[in-house]
Amino acid sequence: MLAAKKPARLAVDIGGTFTDVVLELPTGDRITTKLLTTYDHPGRAVLEGITAVMDRTGLGSSDIGLIIHGTTLATNALIERRGANTALLTTEGHRDTLEMAHEDRFEQYDINIDRPIPLVPRHLRLPIRERMDRAGNILIELDESTILRHLSILEDYEIQSVAIGYLHAFVNPIHEIRTREILANARPDLSISLACEVAPEIREFERLSTACANAYVSPLMTRYLARLADELKAQGFLCPFLLMTSGGGLTTLDLSLIHISEPT
């Protein structure tokens, strides 16, 4: 019985300056190319690179069994502050958690140190009346009217993305989920990130800062990944398309678009 032909694989990495494409042949040989990253649409350099390496081998899209994609686009957007206009909805009385952080300094004896400016300014950290205890028991029911009152602020500041993070919601996410439902019904265009989904762990600063970072880059990354996936399919690439995570693992495109979440 003849062994099945091993498919070729593609790997793509987009950095701040260069985009690298590697084609691994069934023999184990690798064909590579390097292009300048195309900032208006990073996927253009990806497609040009894929075409370049495949033209050198004569392979077609049906010969590719896997595409793996890594990128620092989200990291660069955070560093360069090129993300979406973002707001944070959080438990009343805790809007400054994001700015207080751990009340420490990374240079202990530098009295002139400047702390990083939060991704969401204070006037866009919007208090919502609700409260749970550490066990997830509801102490104050979610006051939906406080959510509705903030809709005008989201409109006035042309907010594209919202992070929602309530006290102890990693134990009981019911209030965060209900808030998403209200916002999604009122503003279907909003990108919405829940802290209970993005970082379901103890400690409010970690949860809120992670949810805000996710919300900040979500519109950018969602548009880019969805467009690139459509363009690859249009060129006949029907193989699995996996993304590298910051932890070094792999995830599917569909799962990535959930975690850099649009309203569901």
Side-chain angles (χ1 to χ4, degrees), residues 2-19:
L2 295 176
K5 181 182 177 182
K6 182 181 177 181
R9 301 189 297 179
L10 278 166
V12 178
D13 180 70
I14 300 178
T17 303
F18 295 109
T19 295

Side-chain angles (χ1 to χ4, degrees), residues 51-213:
T51 300
V53 295
M54 294 188 67
D55 284 350
R56 289 160 59 184
T57 64
L59 294 179
S61 57
S62 60
D63 297 310
I64 305 300
L66 176 66
I67 299 175
I68 298 177
H69 183 12
T71 181
T72 59
L73 287 174
T75 302
N76 294 343
L78 286 169
I79 294 171
E80 299 169 13
R81 298 301 176 103
R82 292 187 293 102
N85 291 337
T86 303
L88 168 66
L89 272 58
T90 192
T91 304
E92 189 176 61
H94 293 266
R95 67 193 299 192
D96 292 317
T97 298
L98 198 63
E99 195 147 10
M100 291 187 298
H102 296 133
E103 299 183 79
D104 56 8
R105 296 184 300 206
F106 50 84
E107 289 290 347
Q108 185 175 357
Y109 299 106
D110 184 355
I111 62 174
N112 296 314
I113 194 170
D114 290 325
R115 294 179 61 86
I117 299 173
L119 294 174
V120 181
R122 192 173 195 272
H123 65 277
L124 293 178
R125 302 197 294 264
L126 309 175
I128 302 299
R129 182 165 177 77
E130 67 84 43
R131 189 64 183 266
M132 291 191 184
D133 66 15
R134 63 182 182 178
N137 300 310
I138 297 175
L139 301 178
I140 300 176
E141 291 285 350
L142 177 66
D143 185 346
E144 298 185 1
S145 68
T146 61
I147 302 170
L148 298 173
R149 282 202 297 270
H150 292 316
L151 290 176
S152 60
I153 296 177
L154 303 183
E155 292 286 350
D156 292 344
Y157 286 92
E158 299 180 346
I159 296 301
Q160 302 163 294
S161 192
V162 171
I164 302 170
Y166 296 145
L167 218 60
H168 306 303
F170 69 98
V171 180
N172 181 356
I174 187 171
H175 286 175
E176 288 190 7
I177 293 171
R178 177 54 184 156
T179 302
R180 175 170 60 189
E181 292 173 352
I182 294 170
L183 288 181
N185 287 332
R187 286 279 308 274
D189 58 311
L190 276 179
S191 175
I192 303 174
S193 298
L194 301 190
C196 65
E197 295 177 348
V198 175
E201 60 185 56
I202 195 170
R203 298 190 186 281
E204 298 311 310
F205 172 68
E206 283 78 359
R207 294 178 59 250
L208 292 185
S209 60
T210 304
C212 287

